[in-house]
Amino acid sequence: MKHWIILFTPETYELVKQKSMIGVRANVWKSFSEKMQVGDRFITYLSKKMTFDGYGTIAGDAVFEETRIFHEDKWFPCRRPVKFEKVGLNKPSAGLFNGVAPFNEANTGPGNYLMCKGGFVEVSQKDFNWLMAEIRG
């Protein structure tokens, strides 16, 4: 099992929660479809709010689907079903990324780092568990 932090804008996050589906751009299809697996765990990070808001599990295999379901102007054809265990945490991220590699070594902000990595970054189980404890309060 792998552990991920996944980036969303608040607008896309609302649609992701409604559809129980995450999506990324086609240029990261290979890593999205091969590295992320059913049963992997994730934490959601909202870029404009700079908060951790929820967590869950990857619930299905990657698919490539060309219909636009997230936004009219944005296309995220690489998709996976997800199961949220908790949403609505709204936990400010201030300082929390400092405890999570590779963010504590990045030369840019966490939102930018996640965006440059395709919207999702694998973290160690130790760092994931630490961050889960912090965001749950």
PDB file of all heavy atoms in Angstrom, residues 67-101:
ATOM      1  N   THR A  67     -14.826  12.285 -21.598  1.00  0.00           N
ATOM      2  CA  THR A  67     -15.911  13.212 -21.282  1.00  0.00           C
ATOM      3  C   THR A  67     -15.464  14.145 -20.166  1.00  0.00           C
ATOM      4  O   THR A  67     -14.753  13.745 -19.250  1.00  0.00           O
ATOM      5  CB  THR A  67     -17.184  12.464 -20.845  1.00  0.00           C
ATOM      6  OG1 THR A  67     -16.871  11.640 -19.725  1.00  0.00           O
ATOM      7  CG2 THR A  67     -17.744  11.622 -21.973  1.00  0.00           C
ATOM      8  N   ARG A  68     -15.899  15.382 -20.252  1.00  0.00           N
ATOM      9  CA  ARG A  68     -15.530  16.374 -19.231  1.00  0.00           C
ATOM     10  C   ARG A  68     -16.547  16.314 -18.101  1.00  0.00           C
ATOM     11  O   ARG A  68     -17.693  16.699 -18.286  1.00  0.00           O
ATOM     12  CB  ARG A  68     -15.470  17.761 -19.846  1.00  0.00           C
ATOM     13  CG  ARG A  68     -14.352  17.881 -20.850  1.00  0.00           C
ATOM     14  CD  ARG A  68     -14.279  19.261 -21.453  1.00  0.00           C
ATOM     15  NE  ARG A  68     -13.329  19.221 -22.556  1.00  0.00           N
ATOM     16  CZ  ARG A  68     -12.433  20.151 -22.783  1.00  0.00           C
ATOM     17  NH1 ARG A  68     -12.375  21.201 -22.025  1.00  0.00           N
ATOM     18  NH2 ARG A  68     -11.612  20.031 -23.788  1.00  0.00           N
ATOM     19  N   ILE A  69     -16.098  15.847 -16.954  1.00  0.00           N
ATOM     20  CA  ILE A  69     -17.013  15.744 -15.818  1.00  0.00           C
ATOM     21  C   ILE A  69     -16.637  16.681 -14.671  1.00  0.00           C
ATOM     22  O   ILE A  69     -17.422  16.867 -13.751  1.00  0.00           O
ATOM     23  CB  ILE A  69     -17.109  14.296 -15.274  1.00  0.00           C
ATOM     24  CG1 ILE A  69     -15.764  13.813 -14.722  1.00  0.00           C
ATOM     25  CG2 ILE A  69     -17.639  13.354 -16.332  1.00  0.00           C
ATOM     26  CD1 ILE A  69     -15.847  12.507 -13.947  1.00  0.00           C
ATOM     27  N   PHE A  70     -15.465  17.270 -14.729  1.00  0.00           N
ATOM     28  CA  PHE A  70     -15.043  18.132 -13.631  1.00  0.00           C
ATOM     29  C   PHE A  70     -15.325  19.601 -13.900  1.00  0.00           C
ATOM     30  O   PHE A  70     -15.864  20.285 -13.062  1.00  0.00           O
ATOM     31  CB  PHE A  70     -13.554  17.911 -13.317  1.00  0.00           C
ATOM     32  CG  PHE A  70     -13.283  16.529 -12.780  1.00  0.00           C
ATOM     33  CD1 PHE A  70     -12.662  15.573 -13.550  1.00  0.00           C
ATOM     34  CD2 PHE A  70     -13.683  16.182 -11.507  1.00  0.00           C
ATOM     35  CE1 PHE A  70     -12.420  14.302 -13.054  1.00  0.00           C
ATOM     36  CE2 PHE A  70     -13.458  14.906 -11.002  1.00  0.00           C
ATOM     37  CZ  PHE A  70     -12.830  13.966 -11.789  1.00  0.00           C
ATOM     38  N   HIS A  71     -14.936  20.098 -15.059  1.00  0.00           N
ATOM     39  CA  HIS A  71     -15.167  21.493 -15.439  1.00  0.00           C
ATOM     40  C   HIS A  71     -15.297  21.563 -16.944  1.00  0.00           C
ATOM     41  O   HIS A  71     -14.720  20.750 -17.660  1.00  0.00           O
ATOM     42  CB  HIS A  71     -13.986  22.397 -15.040  1.00  0.00           C
ATOM     43  CG  HIS A  71     -13.829  22.593 -13.575  1.00  0.00           C
ATOM     44  ND1 HIS A  71     -14.688  23.331 -12.819  1.00  0.00           N
ATOM     45  CD2 HIS A  71     -12.897  22.125 -12.717  1.00  0.00           C
ATOM     46  CE1 HIS A  71     -14.284  23.327 -11.562  1.00  0.00           C
ATOM     47  NE2 HIS A  71     -13.204  22.591 -11.465  1.00  0.00           N
ATOM     48  N   GLU A  72     -16.005  22.549 -17.395  1.00  0.00           N
ATOM     49  CA  GLU A  72     -16.106  22.775 -18.835  1.00  0.00           C
ATOM     50  C   GLU A  72     -14.744  23.156 -19.426  1.00  0.00           C
ATOM     51  O   GLU A  72     -14.408  22.776 -20.528  1.00  0.00           O
ATOM     52  CB  GLU A  72     -17.108  23.894 -19.127  1.00  0.00           C
ATOM     53  CG  GLU A  72     -18.540  23.543 -18.787  1.00  0.00           C
ATOM     54  CD  GLU A  72     -19.147  22.590 -19.792  1.00  0.00           C
ATOM     55  OE1 GLU A  72     -18.810  22.673 -20.980  1.00  0.00           O
ATOM     56  OE2 GLU A  72     -19.979  21.759 -19.380  1.00  0.00           O
ATOM     57  N   ASP A  73     -13.973  23.917 -18.660  1.00  0.00           N
ATOM     58  CA  ASP A  73     -12.718  24.451 -19.202  1.00  0.00           C
ATOM     59  C   ASP A  73     -11.485  23.622 -18.841  1.00  0.00           C
ATOM     60  O   ASP A  73     -10.398  23.910 -19.303  1.00  0.00           O
ATOM     61  CB  ASP A  73     -12.514  25.889 -18.736  1.00  0.00           C
ATOM     62  CG  ASP A  73     -12.427  26.018 -17.223  1.00  0.00           C
ATOM     63  OD1 ASP A  73     -13.031  25.193 -16.519  1.00  0.00           O
ATOM     64  OD2 ASP A  73     -11.764  26.951 -16.753  1.00  0.00           O
ATOM     65  N   LYS A  74     -11.645  22.599 -18.011  1.00  0.00           N
ATOM     66  CA  LYS A  74     -10.494  21.781 -17.625  1.00  0.00           C
ATOM     67  C   LYS A  74     -10.789  20.324 -17.911  1.00  0.00           C
ATOM     68  O   LYS A  74     -11.884  19.836 -17.621  1.00  0.00           O
ATOM     69  CB  LYS A  74     -10.166  21.964 -16.143  1.00  0.00           C
ATOM     70  CG  LYS A  74      -9.655  23.352 -15.839  1.00  0.00           C
ATOM     71  CD  LYS A  74      -9.258  23.480 -14.404  1.00  0.00           C
ATOM     72  CE  LYS A  74      -8.776  24.882 -14.127  1.00  0.00           C
ATOM     73  NZ  LYS A  74      -8.498  25.096 -12.736  1.00  0.00           N
ATOM     74  N   TRP A  75      -9.809  19.653 -18.420  1.00  0.00           N
ATOM     75  CA  TRP A  75      -9.995  18.276 -18.839  1.00  0.00           C
ATOM     76  C   TRP A  75      -9.067  17.386 -18.039  1.00  0.00           C
ATOM     77  O   TRP A  75      -7.848  17.531 -18.111  1.00  0.00           O
ATOM     78  CB  TRP A  75      -9.703  18.183 -20.335  1.00  0.00           C
ATOM     79  CG  TRP A  75     -10.058  16.896 -20.962  1.00  0.00           C
ATOM     80  CD1 TRP A  75     -11.217  16.193 -20.809  1.00  0.00           C
ATOM     81  CD2 TRP A  75      -9.266  16.157 -21.884  1.00  0.00           C
ATOM     82  NE1 TRP A  75     -11.202  15.069 -21.576  1.00  0.00           N
ATOM     83  CE2 TRP A  75     -10.000  15.013 -22.252  1.00  0.00           C
ATOM     84  CE3 TRP A  75      -8.009  16.339 -22.437  1.00  0.00           C
ATOM     85  CZ2 TRP A  75      -9.524  14.068 -23.132  1.00  0.00           C
ATOM     86  CZ3 TRP A  75      -7.542  15.401 -23.323  1.00  0.00           C
ATOM     87  CH2 TRP A  75      -8.295  14.281 -23.661  1.00  0.00           C
ATOM     88  N   PHE A  76      -9.618  16.486 -17.255  1.00  0.00           N
ATOM     89  CA  PHE A  76      -8.858  15.534 -16.463  1.00  0.00           C
ATOM     90  C   PHE A  76      -9.285  14.123 -16.875  1.00  0.00           C
ATOM     91  O   PHE A  76     -10.106  13.490 -16.208  1.00  0.00           O
ATOM     92  CB  PHE A  76      -9.092  15.753 -14.964  1.00  0.00           C
ATOM     93  CG  PHE A  76      -8.715  17.131 -14.491  1.00  0.00           C
ATOM     94  CD1 PHE A  76      -9.684  18.047 -14.129  1.00  0.00           C
ATOM     95  CD2 PHE A  76      -7.386  17.509 -14.425  1.00  0.00           C
ATOM     96  CE1 PHE A  76      -9.333  19.322 -13.695  1.00  0.00           C
ATOM     97  CE2 PHE A  76      -7.024  18.777 -13.992  1.00  0.00           C
ATOM     98  CZ  PHE A  76      -8.003  19.687 -13.625  1.00  0.00           C
ATOM     99  N   PRO A  77      -8.726  13.618 -17.980  1.00  0.00           N
ATOM    100  CA  PRO A  77      -9.206  12.357 -18.546  1.00  0.00           C
ATOM    101  C   PRO A  77      -8.702  11.100 -17.833  1.00  0.00           C
ATOM    102  O   PRO A  77      -9.263  10.029 -18.028  1.00  0.00           O
ATOM    103  CB  PRO A  77      -8.686  12.400 -19.975  1.00  0.00           C
ATOM    104  CG  PRO A  77      -7.410  13.179 -19.875  1.00  0.00           C
ATOM    105  CD  PRO A  77      -7.690  14.236 -18.832  1.00  0.00           C
ATOM    106  N   CYS A  78      -7.671  11.215 -17.035  1.00  0.00           N
ATOM    107  CA  CYS A  78      -7.128  10.055 -16.315  1.00  0.00           C
ATOM    108  C   CYS A  78      -7.818  10.025 -14.958  1.00  0.00           C
ATOM    109  O   CYS A  78      -7.639  10.932 -14.152  1.00  0.00           O
ATOM    110  CB  CYS A  78      -5.625  10.201 -16.137  1.00  0.00           C
ATOM    111  SG  CYS A  78      -4.765  10.531 -17.675  1.00  0.00           S
ATOM    112  N   ARG A  79      -8.589   8.980 -14.720  1.00  0.00           N
ATOM    113  CA  ARG A  79      -9.463   8.981 -13.547  1.00  0.00           C
ATOM    114  C   ARG A  79      -9.371   7.688 -12.751  1.00  0.00           C
ATOM    115  O   ARG A  79      -9.027   6.637 -13.275  1.00  0.00           O
ATOM    116  CB  ARG A  79     -10.912   9.192 -13.994  1.00  0.00           C
ATOM    117  CG  ARG A  79     -11.060  10.498 -14.735  1.00  0.00           C
ATOM    118  CD  ARG A  79     -12.443  10.715 -15.230  1.00  0.00           C
ATOM    119  NE  ARG A  79     -12.456  11.911 -16.054  1.00  0.00           N
ATOM    120  CZ  ARG A  79     -13.322  12.142 -16.999  1.00  0.00           C
ATOM    121  NH1 ARG A  79     -14.281  11.276 -17.258  1.00  0.00           N
ATOM    122  NH2 ARG A  79     -13.254  13.257 -17.699  1.00  0.00           N
ATOM    123  N   ARG A  80      -9.724   7.825 -11.475  1.00  0.00           N
ATOM    124  CA  ARG A  80      -9.804   6.679 -10.570  1.00  0.00           C
ATOM    125  C   ARG A  80     -10.954   6.923  -9.596  1.00  0.00           C
ATOM    126  O   ARG A  80     -11.100   8.018  -9.068  1.00  0.00           O
ATOM    127  CB  ARG A  80      -8.535   6.544  -9.729  1.00  0.00           C
ATOM    128  CG  ARG A  80      -7.379   5.908 -10.441  1.00  0.00           C
ATOM    129  CD  ARG A  80      -6.229   5.704  -9.447  1.00  0.00           C
ATOM    130  NE  ARG A  80      -5.153   4.978 -10.059  1.00  0.00           N
ATOM    131  CZ  ARG A  80      -5.091   3.662 -10.166  1.00  0.00           C
ATOM    132  NH1 ARG A  80      -6.055   2.916  -9.692  1.00  0.00           N
ATOM    133  NH2 ARG A  80      -4.069   3.077 -10.750  1.00  0.00           N
ATOM    134  N   PRO A  81     -11.732   5.883  -9.310  1.00  0.00           N
ATOM    135  CA  PRO A  81     -12.735   6.010  -8.250  1.00  0.00           C
ATOM    136  C   PRO A  81     -12.048   6.078  -6.882  1.00  0.00           C
ATOM    137  O   PRO A  81     -11.005   5.454  -6.682  1.00  0.00           O
ATOM    138  CB  PRO A  81     -13.562   4.730  -8.366  1.00  0.00           C
ATOM    139  CG  PRO A  81     -13.104   4.030  -9.590  1.00  0.00           C
ATOM    140  CD  PRO A  81     -11.806   4.620 -10.009  1.00  0.00           C
ATOM    141  N   VAL A  82     -12.637   6.836  -5.985  1.00  0.00           N
ATOM    142  CA  VAL A  82     -12.117   6.963  -4.624  1.00  0.00           C
ATOM    143  C   VAL A  82     -13.250   6.794  -3.625  1.00  0.00           C
ATOM    144  O   VAL A  82     -14.420   6.986  -3.955  1.00  0.00           O
ATOM    145  CB  VAL A  82     -11.428   8.329  -4.384  1.00  0.00           C
ATOM    146  CG1 VAL A  82     -10.178   8.475  -5.233  1.00  0.00           C
ATOM    147  CG2 VAL A  82     -12.383   9.479  -4.615  1.00  0.00           C
ATOM    148  N   LYS A  83     -12.873   6.435  -2.415  1.00  0.00           N
ATOM    149  CA  LYS A  83     -13.836   6.361  -1.320  1.00  0.00           C
ATOM    150  C   LYS A  83     -13.331   7.272  -0.208  1.00  0.00           C
ATOM    151  O   LYS A  83     -12.254   7.050   0.347  1.00  0.00           O
ATOM    152  CB  LYS A  83     -13.964   4.930  -0.800  1.00  0.00           C
ATOM    153  CG  LYS A  83     -14.950   4.818   0.330  1.00  0.00           C
ATOM    154  CD  LYS A  83     -15.079   3.407   0.829  1.00  0.00           C
ATOM    155  CE  LYS A  83     -16.072   3.410   1.983  1.00  0.00           C
ATOM    156  NZ  LYS A  83     -16.123   2.129   2.648  1.00  0.00           N
ATOM    157  N   PHE A  84     -14.093   8.314   0.080  1.00  0.00           N
ATOM    158  CA  PHE A  84     -13.729   9.214   1.161  1.00  0.00           C
ATOM    159  C   PHE A  84     -14.172   8.619   2.487  1.00  0.00           C
ATOM    160  O   PHE A  84     -15.289   8.131   2.627  1.00  0.00           O
ATOM    161  CB  PHE A  84     -14.385  10.587   0.972  1.00  0.00           C
ATOM    162  CG  PHE A  84     -13.702  11.428  -0.056  1.00  0.00           C
ATOM    163  CD1 PHE A  84     -14.180  11.474  -1.357  1.00  0.00           C
ATOM    164  CD2 PHE A  84     -12.581  12.161   0.267  1.00  0.00           C
ATOM    165  CE1 PHE A  84     -13.560  12.245  -2.317  1.00  0.00           C
ATOM    166  CE2 PHE A  84     -11.947  12.941  -0.688  1.00  0.00           C
ATOM    167  CZ  PHE A  84     -12.436  12.984  -1.979  1.00  0.00           C
ATOM    168  N   GLU A  85     -13.267   8.675   3.454  1.00  0.00           N
ATOM    169  CA  GLU A  85     -13.601   8.251   4.804  1.00  0.00           C
ATOM    170  C   GLU A  85     -14.017   9.443   5.653  1.00  0.00           C
ATOM    171  O   GLU A  85     -14.835   9.314   6.549  1.00  0.00           O
ATOM    172  CB  GLU A  85     -12.408   7.534   5.432  1.00  0.00           C
ATOM    173  CG  GLU A  85     -12.059   6.250   4.701  1.00  0.00           C
ATOM    174  CD  GLU A  85     -10.711   5.699   5.118  1.00  0.00           C
ATOM    175  OE1 GLU A  85     -10.363   5.780   6.317  1.00  0.00           O
ATOM    176  OE2 GLU A  85     -10.014   5.183   4.232  1.00  0.00           O
ATOM    177  N   LYS A  86     -13.435  10.598   5.337  1.00  0.00           N
ATOM    178  CA  LYS A  86     -13.740  11.807   6.093  1.00  0.00           C
ATOM    179  C   LYS A  86     -13.467  13.015   5.208  1.00  0.00           C
ATOM    180  O   LYS A  86     -12.456  13.059   4.504  1.00  0.00           O
ATOM    181  CB  LYS A  86     -12.857  11.864   7.346  1.00  0.00           C
ATOM    182  CG  LYS A  86     -13.080  13.034   8.241  1.00  0.00           C
ATOM    183  CD  LYS A  86     -14.286  12.826   9.107  1.00  0.00           C
ATOM    184  CE  LYS A  86     -14.393  13.937  10.138  1.00  0.00           C
ATOM    185  NZ  LYS A  86     -15.610  13.873  10.885  1.00  0.00           N
ATOM    186  N   VAL A  87     -14.376  13.974   5.226  1.00  0.00           N
ATOM    187  CA  VAL A  87     -14.181  15.260   4.572  1.00  0.00           C
ATOM    188  C   VAL A  87     -14.631  16.351   5.535  1.00  0.00           C
ATOM    189  O   VAL A  87     -15.265  16.069   6.549  1.00  0.00           O
ATOM    190  CB  VAL A  87     -14.954  15.367   3.229  1.00  0.00           C
ATOM    191  CG1 VAL A  87     -14.430  14.389   2.206  1.00  0.00           C
ATOM    192  CG2 VAL A  87     -16.447  15.191   3.437  1.00  0.00           C
ATOM    193  N   GLY A  88     -14.277  17.590   5.227  1.00  0.00           N
ATOM    194  CA  GLY A  88     -14.702  18.701   6.062  1.00  0.00           C
ATOM    195  C   GLY A  88     -13.787  19.013   7.221  1.00  0.00           C
ATOM    196  O   GLY A  88     -14.161  19.727   8.144  1.00  0.00           O
ATOM    197  N   LEU A  89     -12.552  18.519   7.186  1.00  0.00           N
ATOM    198  CA  LEU A  89     -11.615  18.779   8.279  1.00  0.00           C
ATOM    199  C   LEU A  89     -11.164  20.236   8.317  1.00  0.00           C
ATOM    200  O   LEU A  89     -10.959  20.798   9.381  1.00  0.00           O
ATOM    201  CB  LEU A  89     -10.392  17.865   8.162  1.00  0.00           C
ATOM    202  CG  LEU A  89     -10.658  16.375   8.289  1.00  0.00           C
ATOM    203  CD1 LEU A  89      -9.410  15.579   7.946  1.00  0.00           C
ATOM    204  CD2 LEU A  89     -11.151  16.039   9.680  1.00  0.00           C
ATOM    205  N   ASN A  90     -10.948  20.823   7.139  1.00  0.00           N
ATOM    206  CA  ASN A  90     -10.554  22.232   7.010  1.00  0.00           C
ATOM    207  C   ASN A  90      -9.376  22.586   7.929  1.00  0.00           C
ATOM    208  O   ASN A  90      -9.364  23.613   8.594  1.00  0.00           O
ATOM    209  CB  ASN A  90     -11.754  23.139   7.296  1.00  0.00           C
ATOM    210  CG  ASN A  90     -11.553  24.531   6.752  1.00  0.00           C
ATOM    211  OD1 ASN A  90     -10.910  24.720   5.722  1.00  0.00           O
ATOM    212  ND2 ASN A  90     -12.108  25.516   7.441  1.00  0.00           N
ATOM    213  N   LYS A  91      -8.368  21.720   7.956  1.00  0.00           N
ATOM    214  CA  LYS A  91      -7.205  21.892   8.827  1.00  0.00           C
ATOM    215  C   LYS A  91      -6.143  22.730   8.114  1.00  0.00           C
ATOM    216  O   LYS A  91      -5.619  22.323   7.076  1.00  0.00           O
ATOM    217  CB  LYS A  91      -6.624  20.520   9.184  1.00  0.00           C
ATOM    218  CG  LYS A  91      -5.369  20.565  10.009  1.00  0.00           C
ATOM    219  CD  LYS A  91      -5.641  20.983  11.423  1.00  0.00           C
ATOM    220  CE  LYS A  91      -4.369  20.850  12.253  1.00  0.00           C
ATOM    221  NZ  LYS A  91      -4.553  21.245  13.610  1.00  0.00           N
ATOM    222  N   PRO A  92      -5.827  23.917   8.626  1.00  0.00           N
ATOM    223  CA  PRO A  92      -4.789  24.739   7.994  1.00  0.00           C
ATOM    224  C   PRO A  92      -3.472  23.971   7.872  1.00  0.00           C
ATOM    225  O   PRO A  92      -3.062  23.260   8.792  1.00  0.00           O
ATOM    226  CB  PRO A  92      -4.639  25.927   8.945  1.00  0.00           C
ATOM    227  CG  PRO A  92      -5.964  26.006   9.648  1.00  0.00           C
ATOM    228  CD  PRO A  92      -6.409  24.575   9.794  1.00  0.00           C
ATOM    229  N   SER A  93      -2.833  24.124   6.723  1.00  0.00           N
ATOM    230  CA  SER A  93      -1.604  23.376   6.457  1.00  0.00           C
ATOM    231  C   SER A  93      -0.356  24.057   7.001  1.00  0.00           C
ATOM    232  O   SER A  93       0.723  23.471   6.937  1.00  0.00           O
ATOM    233  CB  SER A  93      -1.443  23.162   4.952  1.00  0.00           C
ATOM    234  OG  SER A  93      -1.274  24.416   4.299  1.00  0.00           O
ATOM    235  N   ALA A  94      -0.489  25.262   7.552  1.00  0.00           N
ATOM    236  CA  ALA A  94       0.667  26.031   8.008  1.00  0.00           C
ATOM    237  C   ALA A  94       1.600  25.179   8.859  1.00  0.00           C
ATOM    238  O   ALA A  94       1.210  24.649   9.888  1.00  0.00           O
ATOM    239  CB  ALA A  94       0.207  27.249   8.798  1.00  0.00           C
ATOM    240  N   GLY A  95       2.827  25.010   8.373  1.00  0.00           N
ATOM    241  CA  GLY A  95       3.853  24.280   9.100  1.00  0.00           C
ATOM    242  C   GLY A  95       3.786  22.768   8.961  1.00  0.00           C
ATOM    243  O   GLY A  95       4.773  22.088   9.224  1.00  0.00           O
ATOM    244  N   LEU A  96       2.653  22.214   8.569  1.00  0.00           N
ATOM    245  CA  LEU A  96       2.527  20.766   8.536  1.00  0.00           C
ATOM    246  C   LEU A  96       3.349  20.114   7.430  1.00  0.00           C
ATOM    247  O   LEU A  96       3.844  19.005   7.603  1.00  0.00           O
ATOM    248  CB  LEU A  96       1.054  20.352   8.406  1.00  0.00           C
ATOM    249  CG  LEU A  96       0.185  20.663   9.620  1.00  0.00           C
ATOM    250  CD1 LEU A  96      -1.252  20.235   9.367  1.00  0.00           C
ATOM    251  CD2 LEU A  96       0.731  19.985  10.865  1.00  0.00           C
ATOM    252  N   PHE A  97       3.508  20.791   6.309  1.00  0.00           N
ATOM    253  CA  PHE A  97       4.318  20.209   5.238  1.00  0.00           C
ATOM    254  C   PHE A  97       5.784  20.080   5.648  1.00  0.00           C
ATOM    255  O   PHE A  97       6.521  19.285   5.074  1.00  0.00           O
ATOM    256  CB  PHE A  97       4.203  21.026   3.946  1.00  0.00           C
ATOM    257  CG  PHE A  97       2.984  20.695   3.139  1.00  0.00           C
ATOM    258  CD1 PHE A  97       1.925  21.572   3.072  1.00  0.00           C
ATOM    259  CD2 PHE A  97       2.901  19.501   2.432  1.00  0.00           C
ATOM    260  CE1 PHE A  97       0.805  21.267   2.304  1.00  0.00           C
ATOM    261  CE2 PHE A  97       1.793  19.177   1.681  1.00  0.00           C
ATOM    262  CZ  PHE A  97       0.734  20.074   1.612  1.00  0.00           C
ATOM    263  N   ASN A  98       6.221  20.848   6.645  1.00  0.00           N
ATOM    264  CA  ASN A  98       7.611  20.754   7.101  1.00  0.00           C
ATOM    265  C   ASN A  98       7.922  19.385   7.696  1.00  0.00           C
ATOM    266  O   ASN A  98       9.074  18.977   7.752  1.00  0.00           O
ATOM    267  CB  ASN A  98       7.914  21.839   8.138  1.00  0.00           C
ATOM    268  CG  ASN A  98       7.852  23.220   7.543  1.00  0.00           C
ATOM    269  OD1 ASN A  98       8.046  23.400   6.348  1.00  0.00           O
ATOM    270  ND2 ASN A  98       7.557  24.208   8.372  1.00  0.00           N
ATOM    271  N   GLY A  99       6.895  18.660   8.133  1.00  0.00           N
ATOM    272  CA  GLY A  99       7.097  17.338   8.707  1.00  0.00           C
ATOM    273  C   GLY A  99       6.964  16.200   7.710  1.00  0.00           C
ATOM    274  O   GLY A  99       6.969  15.040   8.102  1.00  0.00           O
ATOM    275  N   VAL A 100       6.827  16.533   6.422  1.00  0.00           N
ATOM    276  CA  VAL A 100       6.570  15.515   5.407  1.00  0.00           C
ATOM    277  C   VAL A 100       7.580  15.623   4.275  1.00  0.00           C
ATOM    278  O   VAL A 100       7.647  16.627   3.579  1.00  0.00           O
ATOM    279  CB  VAL A 100       5.138  15.660   4.838  1.00  0.00           C
ATOM    280  CG1 VAL A 100       4.866  14.618   3.771  1.00  0.00           C
ATOM    281  CG2 VAL A 100       4.099  15.583   5.950  1.00  0.00           C
ATOM    282  N   ALA A 101       8.380  14.564   4.104  1.00  0.00           N
ATOM    283  CA  ALA A 101       9.274  14.502   2.938  1.00  0.00           C
ATOM    284  C   ALA A 101       8.411  14.088   1.747  1.00  0.00           C
ATOM    285  O   ALA A 101       7.484  13.300   1.911  1.00  0.00           O
ATOM    286  CB  ALA A 101      10.374  13.467   3.184  1.00  0.00           C
TER     287      ALA A 101
END
